[in-house]
Amino acid sequence: MTDFAVRPSSYDLRLILDLSLPAHVVALVDDVWQPAWLIGRQHHADGWMALVQYTAADGNELSCRIPVCRLGPRPHS
């Protein structure tokens, strides 16, 4: 069974993989969903990793690599 068969369609990771870079997304960082920029993605033996940039609570801009499964499309406002 594929990930797409068990994950709700609103979390279809193909939407993330098809985004042009850079792209606005939400990222689960430190157990908090935050607005972020998706600035890169790379396929590893254990799956896709995303390079995201976000603003931390202290106002500093941080970049980190997280699994693509911890990304979601940015909600439309």
Side-chain angles (χ1 to χ4, degrees), residues 39-52:
I39 56 176
R41 55 189 168 239
Q42 187 174 24
H43 191 260
H44 295 271
D46 56 349
W48 285 95
M49 294 294 287
L51 177 60
V52 296

Side-chain angles (χ1 to χ4, degrees), residues 12-24:
D12 187 342
L13 296 180
R14 291 175 287 194
L15 298 175
I16 300 295
L17 297 177
D18 289 341
L19 289 173
S20 297
L21 300 178
H24 282 115

Side-chain angles (χ1 to χ4, degrees), residues 54-76:
Y54 65 98
T55 303
D58 61 7
N60 289 322
E61 288 187 357
L62 303 174
S63 297
C64 67
R65 293 191 190 283
I66 60 173
V68 171
C69 65
R70 291 174 41 195
L71 294 180
R74 186 142 187 190
H76 298 285

